[in-house]
């Protein structure tokens, strides 16, 4: 047995144990990207660095053996800073984006590329359910939105934006309006929430909170929902709103019209009868600290506590936005934070996930972006029917990364609070290789050169797989010079996608 | 979904390989070399030698015939710079961009060749497929910098304005019929004529001198023994000829030209052939005696004037690794024996057991000369104690520092000595197999070591049960394929095993777990060269030289802005100033000694103000530099430190294996900032940013390449911060960074038009006899005009 110290903790491990394992066995977490305990170590990513306090040198804990008498610092300031720098360097090589730009700018964060994929396959129901689940009132809200999504659409940089609003409208219309959706209701939590104000923000909060299983009661001072703005809308929109309101109320939301809540009612009755109160109307200026800042979904200071009950301000009550859709978006994010609070009784900030960005795309990159779209299109017209919408959806570039929910690079960048590096250095022009037999996709610009795929394949008996080519900054993963990407690895796709820590290796949805 | 066809490397139909029987060639090579995975590099080298490049067809066939996999072959052929997937032009122009050549303007020369041969941006071969231009890092004749090699012909002291002539000369010499070699009768003579045939000498033209010597001796029946010797060290004075009489100091001629050869020989050695021959000889002698340039003939110089500088050059040196420099022929086994060769080995196997030997080496205080400075005896001890009956020894002759050529010279001049050192080391740890890892760019060294090994095998010094001692040892040569990182021992081992040269984490060190998982001793060429001397002269003789922690001598390649460069071996502890000012006789007249760059890309610069620092492992490290392998490049006040830092960093960035993040990406980010400085785009605050990045790269890199790469940058910031500040303000104080200077003609101009002809891009507007003018829009800043102007009328100006 070997005795050593990690983070001032005395540890004993078997001879030959790698430092990272020694630490993990003892509850000390060291991150890693290029290491897996079932494969030989390779020492590439350098996010596992620790400091050997005896020699004052930094060592790669995934590969260095635990040696007798070592004194290791696995989480000091210097160590964390060096890891952060390693991550930042990996990101500076990373010409890729986690979320699609359209989704990022949508105040309600609608997963537009996913919706487009459903529509493209003709699965209109799935598309409509997705929109409903993420927006509450998908049709109404897009009507009052200046369509940020279309403005940010990546395809706009190539030829013309995807007609997101119309695609969504003509596909939802054919579904949503006929069949009310129940949403995906969770089991009741037994918690009761009072919402002051039946405008768009209040309705939004009630939608998301009741989906999470909380019982919501809305107090609206007028005799109708939707606030003052409703009167300015076109008849058609009003009609849609009424319909969508029914869907929301169908989740069990109670709407009490004609009740104006003032400070008195708030402190005497609401805070006594409810587990939490959400204010979504202006006023209540005496309650200062209850806002939830928009971007970070972080509680600004403490929320207001009245009679042991937390009072939150959302939507317009929190901040007056120029565009009402932004209030609604804020209401959605705040609801998620309130839900966290109701479940845990703690004010946990909902940290925004890291998002790799690329900015403007270069001319030579366009053909790569277009690789998965139909070659001949007549797409300049705006779709005005379901059929046309399906055709148009096919032109979506699917800018979102296929690995966005299980990407170790993304997670570690978030964990270490790394911001997108100022400087980018791309070793190769971006490329997307698709194996049309197995659906394996390789995107070079997302590869962090961790070599896991190569090591995994070394264990398999195959004639030709993936390997490193080139040297130094120019090194890259590739099929052999003697083979075509289409002719390799036809039955290894799943294990490769699983082993790749990023979205560099992924599988096409059609396989 | 449309299938997109990836373009494969040589699907290009313009390459015709039809005439060549690729299959036959590959089969023959594989039959000769073998089919194991670790034969990949030698096989590829042999195939490329025959085919000029590696067509995809050949790669496929190699995979079919051997255990080598497509992934492996693709990995290595793209890792090592020696391998090509496209054919080159008929002739290869290698422009050296090593350190010494760089400080003497190699980049301009490279551009000039590309321009002259009309090679377009992004390509390396001329349209007529006659020439390909390549960059190489150090051709090993730094003293003749800048150096260009076209096929086997080497041109030293190149300038941009000479490029056209060099190409012409090469094409003309192609046509010359090589004269038949004269064969001289053997015999015992009192007199020896010695011609240096080290790389620098050859580059300086000593092959022609040798031909001329042989012709003269044959023609006049001179009774003298003609022999070739290895490097003498005065490399910038080549070619070199010595006449030695028995029991007398030899007389040495430097900077010789062919025409002088017969004159010198006849002056010293009287022909003893028939009367008429003698007469002709005397007539010839009389003929030349009266020509004008005879006045400048070295023969007319007083002996002591001729030798003065040589003495100065040699006085401060001490020859251990280079013992008998210039005296013994690299090819002659008998001569090596005569000068105590293999005596040390003999002593060892007859008189010492392994521990005694190891103790002796430890006592000598010898530390590895490969850069790390690890105590040699201690390493041997670990090797000796390591378990297992299969152990290896590798002689590290990769020498990648782009401004160093010590190991090359030792291998070329003293191959038997390196072998002897290796045999002793092998005996110490109990290795039966040794490998010489020699850099791809050193064909002469490979050739000579190969011959020496063969002779040793014939003499049964290598093989089983050597001299009845029960000790068996064999050696092989492994030629590197062009990757600096393979000098690092774990990368070297990967390379020998047929893989990409990626270093691996240490410990375990190779001495515990190395080649094929066996204990493997890696020692540098120079380290091994010291061993025989230490054994013969005893450890005290060695450890009485030097400083407290650095014993013995160190070989340096002294080059750069210095009057007398060359290969020197000096006692440890000598000051840098002494090396520069005494041995090297200082910088050019009118210039100021500014700094030395020591230790190559892993080392750093040491400013003149610290030149009294003694040469010592720890002292140099303290200053932020490093002993490294022993490149020592002198810089004067015309050298820009930002440019130097950028130069080294481009080298290391380029040579990074790409495995770990800090080295792969971090060096690139550093280089990006340095580029901004050299273009005057950087902000002052970026100096700190750069320093911070340097420290991260130093801390976070896996191997020595990355962790030492920041040294040149850090030292240049430490000692010359004001130069960075000046660049941030848009000024390159030495006028070296092209983006920050412009060329202008001043009033000295006499309107001679000579610059007009020199300008490759017609940027000089002129009227004869009137002051000319440079169109800065057209000017490519090639410096040609400055070189040809006789009246100093062209100035570099700060923008
Ligand atoms: C990037 C790099 C390059 C190296 N290049 C060389 C080299 O060219 N020659 C050499 O002998 N050692 C070189 N070394 C050092 C070797 O790894 C090793 O330490 C040395 O060969 C050991 O021999 P020694 O103990 O005799 O010095 C290099 C190390 C690094 C990190
Ligand atoms: S690989 Fe990871 S970090 Fe990169 S785009 Fe995909 S999800 Fe984002
Ligand atoms: S129109 Fe507005 S709300 Fe609708 S998807 Fe686009 S950005 Fe989101
Ligand atoms: S192309 Fe598709 S995924 Fe990309 S931004 Fe536009 S709609 Fe979103
Ligand atoms: S493709 Fe994925 S697994 Fe392979 S080296 Fe790149 S990031 Fe690692
Ligand atoms: S996990 Fe250790 S270097 Fe990647
Ligand atoms: S020959 Fe050019 S640097 Fe050595």
């Amino acid at each position: 047995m070997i005795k050593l110290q990690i983070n001032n903790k005395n540890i004993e491990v078997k001879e030959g144990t790698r430092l990272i394992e020694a630490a993990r066995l003892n509850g000390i977490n060291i991150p890693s990207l290029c290491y897996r305990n079932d494969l030989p170590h390779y020492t590439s990513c350098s996010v596992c660095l620790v400091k050997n306090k005896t020699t004052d040198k930094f060592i790669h804990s995934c590969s260095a053996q635990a040696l007798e008498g070592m004194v290791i610092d696995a989480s000091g300031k210097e160590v964390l800073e060096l890891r952060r720098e390693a991550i930042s360097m990996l990101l500076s090589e990373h010409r890729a984006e986690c979320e699609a730009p359209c989704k990022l700018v949508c105040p309600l964060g609608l997963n537009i590329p996913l919706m487009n994929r459903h529509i493209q396959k003709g699965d209109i129901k799935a598309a409509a359910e997705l929109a409903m689940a993420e927006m509450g009132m998908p049709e109404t809200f897009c009507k009052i939105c200046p369509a940020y999504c279309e403005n940010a659409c990546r395809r706009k940089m190539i030829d013309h934006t995807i007609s997101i609003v119309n695609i969504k409208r003509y596909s939802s219309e054919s579904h949503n309006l006929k069949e009310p959706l129940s949403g995906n209701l969770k089991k009741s939590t037994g918690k009761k929430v009072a919402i002051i104000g039946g405008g768009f923000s209040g309705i939004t909060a009630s939608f998301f909170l009741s989906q999470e299983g909380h019982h919501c009661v809305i107090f609206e001072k007028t005799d109708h929902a939707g606030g003052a703005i409703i009167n300015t809308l076109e008849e058609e929109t009003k009609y849609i709103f009424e319909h969508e309101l029914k869907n929301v109320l169908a989740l069990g939301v109670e709407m009490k019209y004609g009740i104006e809540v003032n400070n008195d009612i708030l402190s005497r009755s609401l805070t006594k009868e409810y587990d939490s109160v959400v204010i979504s109307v202006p006023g209540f200026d005496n309650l200062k600290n209850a806002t939830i800042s928009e971007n970070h979904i972080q509680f600004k200071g403490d929320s207001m506590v009245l009679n042991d009950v937390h009072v939150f301000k959302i939507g317009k009550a929190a901040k007056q936005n120029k565009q009402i859709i932004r209030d609604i978006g804020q209401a959605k994010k705040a609801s998620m934070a309130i839900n966290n609070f109701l479940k845990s009784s703690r004010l946990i900030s909902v940290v925004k996930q890291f998002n790799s960005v690329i900015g403007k795309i270069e001319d030579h990159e366009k053909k790569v972006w277009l690789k998965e779209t139909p070659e001949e299109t007549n797409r300049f017209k705006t779709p005005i029917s379901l059929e046309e919408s399906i055709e148009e959806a096919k032109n979506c570039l699917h800018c979102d990364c296929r690995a966005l929910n299980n990407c170790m690079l993304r997670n570690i960048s978030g964990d270490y609070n790394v911001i997108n590096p100022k400087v980018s250095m791309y070793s190769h022009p971006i490329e997307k290789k698709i194996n049309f037999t197995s659906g394996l996709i390789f995107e070079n610009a997302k590869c962090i050169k961790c070599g896991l795929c190569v090591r995994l394949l070394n264990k398999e008996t195959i004639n030709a797989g993936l390997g490193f080519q080139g040297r130094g900054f120019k090194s890259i993963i590739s099929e052999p010079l003697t083979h075509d990407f289409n002719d390799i690895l036809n039955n290894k796709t799943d294990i490769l996608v699983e082993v790749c820590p990023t979205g560099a290796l992924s599988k096409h949805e059609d396989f | 979904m449309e299938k997109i066809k990836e373009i494969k490397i040589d699907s290009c139909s313009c390459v015709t390989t039809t005439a060549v029987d690729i299959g036959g060639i590959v089969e023959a090579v594989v039959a000769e070399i073998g089919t194991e995975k670790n034969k990949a590099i030698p096989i590829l080298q042999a195939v490329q030698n025959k085919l000029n490049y590696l067509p995809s067809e050949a790669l496929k066939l190699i995979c079919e015939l051997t255990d080598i996999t497509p992934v492996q072959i693709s990995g290595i052929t793209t890792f090592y710079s020696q391998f090509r997937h496209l054919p080159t032009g008929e002739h290869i122009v290698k422009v050296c961009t090593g350190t010494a050549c760089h400080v003497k303007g190699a980049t301009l020369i490279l551009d000039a060749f590309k321009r002259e041969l009309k090679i377009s941006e992004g390509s390396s071969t001329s349209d007529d497929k006659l020439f390909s231009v390549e960059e190489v890092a150090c051709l090993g004749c730094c003293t003749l910098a800048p150096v260009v090699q076209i096929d086997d012909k080497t041109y030293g002291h190149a300038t941009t304005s000479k490029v056209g002539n060099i190409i012409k000369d090469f094409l003309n010499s192609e046509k010359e019929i090589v004269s038949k070699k004269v064969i001289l009768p053997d015999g015992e003579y009192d007199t020896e004529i010695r011609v240096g045939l080290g790389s620098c000498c050859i580059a300086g033209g000593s092959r022609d001198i040798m031909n001329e010597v042989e012709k003269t001796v044959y023609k006049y029946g001179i009774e003298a023994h003609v022999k070739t010797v290895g490097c003498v060290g005065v490399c910038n004075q080549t070619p070199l000829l010595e006449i030695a009489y028995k029991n007398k100091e030899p007389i040495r001629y430097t900077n010789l030209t062919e025409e002088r050869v017969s004159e010198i020989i006849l002056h010293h050695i009287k022909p003893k052939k028939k009367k008429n021959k003698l007469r002709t000889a005397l007539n010839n002698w009389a003929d030349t005696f009266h020509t004008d340039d005879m006045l400048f003939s070295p023969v007319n110089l007083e002996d002591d004037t001729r030798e003065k500088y040589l003495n100065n050059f040699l006085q401060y040196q001490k020859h251990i690794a280079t013992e008998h420099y210039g005296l013994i022929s690299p090819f002659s086994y008998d001569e090596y024996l005569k000068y105590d060769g293999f005596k040390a080995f003999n002593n060892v196997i007859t008189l010492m057991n392994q521990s005694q030997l190891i103790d002796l080496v430890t006592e000598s205080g010898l530390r590895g000369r490969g850069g790390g400075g690890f105590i040699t005896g201690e390493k041997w001890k670990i090797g000796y104690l390591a378990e297992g009956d299969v152990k290896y020894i590798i002689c590290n002759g990769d020498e990648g520092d782009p401004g160093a050529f010590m190991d090359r010279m030792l291998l070329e001049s003293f191959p038997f000595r390196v072998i002897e050192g290796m045999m002793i080391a092998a005996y110490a740890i109990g290795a039966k197999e040794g490998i010489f890892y020699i850099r791809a760019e050193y064909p002469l060294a490979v050739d000579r070591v190969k011959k020496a090994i063969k002779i040793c095998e014939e003499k049964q010094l290598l093989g089983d049960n050597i001299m009845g001692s029960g000790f068996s040892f064999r050696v092989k040569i492994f030629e590197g394929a062009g990757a600096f990182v393979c000098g690092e021992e774990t990368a070297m081992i990967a390379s020998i095993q047929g893989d990409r040269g990626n270093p691996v984490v240490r410990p375990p060190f190779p001495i515990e777990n190395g080649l094929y998982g066996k204990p493997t001793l890696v020692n540098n060429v120079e380290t091994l060269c010291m061993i025989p001397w230490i054994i013969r002269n005893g450890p005290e003789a060695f450890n009485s030289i030097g400083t407290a922690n650095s014993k013995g001598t160190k070989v340096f390649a002294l080059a750069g802005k210095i009057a007398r460069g060359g290969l020197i071996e000096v006692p440890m502890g000598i000051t840098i100033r002494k090396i520069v000012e005494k041995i090297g006789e200082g910088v050019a007249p009118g210039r100021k000694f500014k700094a030395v760059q020591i230790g190559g890309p892993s080392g750093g610069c040491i400013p003149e103000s610290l030149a009294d620092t003694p040469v010592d492992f720890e002292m140099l490290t303290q200053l932020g530099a490093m002993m490294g392998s022993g490149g020592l490049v002198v810089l004067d006040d015309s050298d820009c430190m930002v440019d130097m830092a950028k130069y080294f960093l481009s080298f290391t960035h380029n040579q990074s294996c790409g495995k770990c993040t800090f080295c792969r990406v971090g060096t690139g980010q550093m280089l990006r900032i340095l580029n901004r400085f050299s273009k005057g785009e950087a902000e002052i605050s970026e100096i700190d940013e750069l320093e911070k990045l340097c420290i991260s790269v130093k801390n976070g890199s896996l191997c020595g390449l990355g962790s030492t790469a920041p040294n040149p940058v850090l030292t240049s910031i430490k000692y010359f911060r004001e130069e960075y500040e000046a660049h941030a303000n848009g000024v390159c104080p030495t006028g070296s960074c092209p983006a920050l200077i412009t060329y202008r003609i001043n009033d000295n101009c006499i309107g001679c038009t000579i610059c007009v002809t020199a300008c490759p891009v017609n940027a000089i507007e002129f009227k004869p006899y009137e002051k000319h003018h440079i169109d800065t829009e057209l000017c490519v800043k090639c410096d040609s005009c400055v070189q040809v102007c006789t009246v100093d009328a062209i100035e570099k100006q700060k923008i």
Side-chain angles (χ1 to χ4, degrees), chain B residues 303-523:
Chain B
D303 277 8
D304 38 322
T305 329
R306 187 176 58 231
E307 301 240 327
K308 190 185 130 238
Y309 93 84
L310 271 181
N311 287 339
N312 218 352
F313 187 81
L314 300 173
Q315 173 189 338
Y316 295 94
Q317 301 197 41
K318 166 90 192 151
H319 298 279
I320 292 180
T322 58
E323 194 184 14
H324 309 308
Y325 69 96
L327 215 66
I328 49 179
S329 160
F331 312 113
S332 170
Y333 169 77
D334 292 332
E335 227 174 69
Y336 184 62
L337 279 193
K338 203 163 93 194
Y339 289 100
D340 299 329
F342 293 110
K343 210 165 141 190
F345 176 68
N346 233 321
N347 287 351
V348 166
I349 55 165
T350 49
L351 304 172
M352 288 178 218
N353 64 29
Q354 288 163 293
S355 319
Q356 285 166 329
L357 166 60
I358 292 169
D359 289 345
L360 186 155
V361 174
T362 311
E363 199 190 327
S364 76
L366 176 64
R367 295 171 66 173
R369 301 300 195 235
F374 197 82
I375 297 170
T376 306
E378 277 182 17
K379 203 195 270 186
W380 289 16
K381 185 156 203 168
I382 305 171
Y384 163 63
L385 295 174
E387 276 168 41
D389 49 357
V390 180
K391 296 180 187 177
Y392 297 100
I393 170 168
I394 301 174
C395 170
N396 189 340
D398 198 45
E399 191 164 61
D401 172 351
F405 51 95
M406 300 78 51
D407 294 345
R408 165 185 203 157
M409 177 282 249
L410 293 171
L411 290 167
E412 283 175 0
S413 303
F414 310 103
F416 290 106
R417 184 172 299 154
V418 193
I419 294 174
E420 186 180 359
M422 208 164 163
M423 289 163 72
I424 297 170
Y427 173 78
I429 66 156
K432 293 193 192 66
E433 220 177 292
I435 293 168
F436 269 101
Y437 193 101
I438 305 179
R439 199 175 161 222
E441 291 84 346
Y442 288 0
L444 193 62
V446 171
D447 188 56
R448 291 197 178 160
V449 172
K450 215 176 250 170
K451 285 189 182 132
I453 292 175
K454 193 149 174 280
I455 293 172
C456 290
E457 283 168 352
E458 282 163 15
K459 306 279 176 192
Q460 289 171 356
L461 273 167
L462 289 173
D464 289 335
N465 190 13
I466 298 167
M467 297 164 39
S469 63
F471 170 61
S472 306
F473 185 56
R474 292 173 189 284
V475 276
K476 282 193 299 220
I477 295 183
F478 190 96
E479 288 179 56
F484 170 66
V485 68
C486 287
E488 198 279 340
E489 51 192 18
T490 59
M492 176 169 288
I493 287 169
S495 162
I496 297 173
Q497 293 177 176
D499 289 321
R500 293 159 58 84
N502 288 327
V504 293
V505 78
R506 300 179 312 170
F509 291 92
I511 194 68
E512 307 158 304
N513 179 345
L515 191 60
Y516 307 116
K518 307 291 181 204
T520 303
L521 172 66
V522 183
N523 268 144

Side-chain angles (χ1 to χ4, degrees), chain B residues 161 163 179 191 233 264 271 296 326 373 407 490 579 592 622 646 722:
Chain B
S161 47
V163 164
S179 59
T191 319
I264 291 171
F296 303 104
D407 294 345
T490 59
I579 296 180
K592 264 177 63 191
Q622 261 172 37
K646 189 181 106 182
E722 67 285 357

Side-chain angles (χ1 to χ4, degrees), chain A residues 42 44-45 58 60 82 85 89 92-93 371 423 425 431 468-473 480-483 486 508, chain B residues 1 3-4 6 8 74-75 78-79 85 482 500 655-662 664 669 672 696 700:
Chain A
Y42 179 63
S44 158
C45 71
F58 293 87
H60 297 79
L82 204 56
E85 224 158 324
M89 283 179 188
S92 72
E93 272 189 308
K371 211 158 178 177
V423 178
M425 308 198 346
E431 195 178 7
F468 278 109
Q469 282 176 27
R471 184 178 67 204
F473 188 56
L481 296 170
T482 46
H483 287 67
N486 241 338
H508 195 280
Chain B
M1 221 177 288
K3 186 185 151 175
I4 313 285
E6 310 293 341
K8 280 283 154 187
S74 308
T78 53
F79 185 92
H85 296 100
R500 293 159 58 84
Q655 294 297 332
S656 161
C657 84
K659 182 170 170 176
C660 71
T661 306
F662 282 97
R664 182 182 70 242
Q669 296 191 347
R672 191 194 134 265
S696 304

Side-chain angles (χ1 to χ4, degrees), chain A residues 37-55:
Chain A
N37 59 8
D38 56 346
L39 292 173
H41 63 83
Y42 179 63
T43 339
S44 158
C45 71
S46 309
V47 302
C48 66
L49 284 168
V50 296
K51 188 170 184 178
N52 181 342
K53 285 168 78 172
T54 327
T55 59

Side-chain angles (χ1 to χ4, degrees), chain A residues 100-102 112-113 116 152-155 162 164 396-400:
Chain A
C102 53
I112 296 164
N116 286 347
C153 175
R154 164 100 344 112
R155 180 111 204 195
I162 297 290
I164 302 168
C396 171
L397 304 174
H398 303 290
C399 307
D400 53 343

Side-chain angles (χ1 to χ4, degrees), chain B residues 36-334:
Chain B
E36 300 88 345
K37 177 179 169 272
N38 63 2
K39 298 289 168 32
I41 293 175
I43 289 176
L44 290 164
Q45 285 168 331
V47 169
Q48 178 165 293
N49 250 337
K50 301 236 159 69
L51 295 176
N52 174 302
Y53 74 113
L54 296 168
S56 172
E57 196 187 331
L59 298 184
K60 275 189 197 139
L61 199 56
I62 293 172
C63 294
E64 272 166 34
L65 297 175
T66 65
D67 296 342
I68 301 161
T69 65
V71 164
Q72 183 195 357
I73 212 164
S74 308
I76 57 187
T77 54
T78 53
F79 185 92
Y80 298 98
S81 23
Q82 188 186 35
F83 298 123
R84 291 185 291 267
H85 296 100
L86 290 173
T88 58
E90 201 176 316
H91 305 291
I92 302 186
V93 180
K94 291 185 179 153
V95 180
C96 176
T97 52
T99 318
C101 292
H102 174 77
V103 297
K104 296 217 170 151
T107 326
L108 295 176
I109 308 277
L110 181 69
D111 291 345
F113 267 101
K114 289 195 168 166
R115 216 169 24 237
E116 189 73 29
L117 295 168
K118 303 202 172 51
I119 295 176
S120 49
E121 190 66 38
S123 161
S124 61
T125 304
S126 61
D127 290 343
D128 57 6
K129 304 257 181 295
L130 196 54
F131 287 99
S132 283
V133 177
E134 284 177 3
E135 274 179 71
V136 289
C138 198
L139 287 164
C141 14
C142 312
T143 49
L144 305 177
V147 182
V148 177
Q149 206 175 53
I150 310 186
D151 293 350
D152 289 335
K153 223 167 146 57
T154 309
Y155 295 87
H157 302 302
T159 59
T160 43
S161 47
K162 276 197 228 156
V163 164
N165 288 340
I166 291 177
I167 296 172
K168 258 185 236 139
D169 178 86
F170 174 80
L171 290 173
N172 286 337
S173 71
E174 272 275 284
K175 295 187 204 112
E176 275 171 28
I177 307 131
V178 184
S179 59
K180 238 176 100 190
K181 189 154 167 39
V182 276
I183 298 158
L184 299 175
D186 257 347
E188 279 287 316
Y189 300 113
D190 284 352
T191 319
E192 263 184 10
I193 304 175
R194 300 173 187 154
V195 181
L197 274 191
S199 283
C200 308
C201 289
I202 293 179
S206 65
R207 283 228 170 92
D208 294 338
I209 302 291
M210 189 66 191
N211 278 343
E212 200 54 37
V213 169
E214 286 176 336
K215 263 197 251 160
T216 310
V217 170
Y218 181 74
K219 186 166 162 196
Y220 300 117
I222 303 282
E223 295 197 330
H225 183 56
V226 179
K227 84 187 234 195
T228 54
V229 290
C231 183
V232 187
V234 280
C235 309
N236 70 336
Q237 305 293 315
T238 59
L240 211 78
L241 177 107
E242 268 185 7
I243 310 235
Y245 304 103
K246 209 173 198 162
N247 307 326
K248 267 202 207 160
E249 274 293 297
I251 298 151
R252 202 173 279 129
Y253 291 93
T254 55
N255 281 337
L256 209 58
T257 55
E258 247 173 283
E259 301 80 53
R260 301 262 184 266
V261 169
S262 61
E263 170 199 331
I264 291 171
I265 294 179
L266 291 169
H267 179 75
H268 288 285
I269 315 167
K270 299 288 168 271
K272 285 193 182 150
K273 272 207 175 167
K274 288 178 206 144
K275 281 252 161 67
N276 57 345
K277 290 261 175 170
L278 181 66
R279 263 191 54 209
T280 347
L282 287 173
N283 284 346
N284 276 351
W285 175 242
D287 281 350
T288 47
F289 200 75
H290 293 291
T291 57
D292 275 358
D293 50 323
M294 241 352 253
L295 292 174
F296 303 104
S297 165
V299 179
N300 294 349
L301 288 177
E302 286 305 310
D303 277 8
D304 38 322
T305 329
R306 187 176 58 231
E307 301 240 327
K308 190 185 130 238
Y309 93 84
L310 271 181
N311 287 339
N312 218 352
F313 187 81
L314 300 173
Q315 173 189 338
Y316 295 94
Q317 301 197 41
K318 166 90 192 151
H319 298 279
I320 292 180
T322 58
E323 194 184 14
H324 309 308
Y325 69 96
L327 215 66
I328 49 179
S329 160
F331 312 113
S332 170
Y333 169 77
D334 292 332

Side-chain angles (χ1 to χ4, degrees), chain A residues 20 31-35 43-48 60-63:
Chain A
I20 202 167
S32 62
L33 290 174
C34 71
Y35 168 76
T43 339
S44 158
C45 71
S46 309
V47 302
C48 66
H60 297 79
S61 63
C62 67
S63 320

